[in-house]
Amino acid sequence: MPSENYATAVVAGFNQSKKCIRSGRAKHVYVAFDADGHILSEIISLCERFGVKLDTSKTKSELGVLCGIKVDCAVCAFLQ
């Protein structure tokens, strides 16, 4: 949860999110439930392997809004 003085850093996108998960920088990952199957399975597997919290309750459109971008987003990671 962000403090009053600091915004939480967020990374949008499949490849960038994977890098953050693997490097241990990802605190919480969102993957859209309407994302392609290979994206879902790879991100779920990585999050389980590296012990990162995962949320699959949002759509790609909702994740775009969550990230503050004007396009849909299949995966995003909030950093530690």
Side-chain angles (χ1 to χ4, degrees):
M1 182 130 335
S3 72
E4 290 179 30
N5 299 322
Y6 300 98
T8 301
V10 64
V11 171
F14 180 58
N15 290 325
Q16 291 298 320
S17 295
K18 288 192 308 183
K19 288 178 187 177
C20 291
I21 295 166
R22 289 184 180 127
S23 70
R25 296 183 313 152
K27 179 179 182 180
H28 193 111
V29 172
Y30 287 88
V31 61
F33 66 80
D34 58 346
D36 291 340
H38 77 279
I39 292 174
L40 272 166
S41 62
E42 189 167 348
I43 294 297
I44 290 168
S45 176
L46 280 172
C47 286
E48 288 174 354
R49 186 168 138 205
F50 288 94
V52 177
K53 293 179 186 176
L54 177 67
D55 186 321
T56 60
S57 67
K58 300 194 182 309
T59 65
K60 291 187 284 189
S61 295
E62 290 171 325
L63 288 185
V65 171
L66 182 67
C67 293
I69 58 179
K70 295 181 181 185
V71 295
D72 291 353
C73 177
V75 184
C76 65
F78 285 81
L79 308 181
Q80 300 196 46

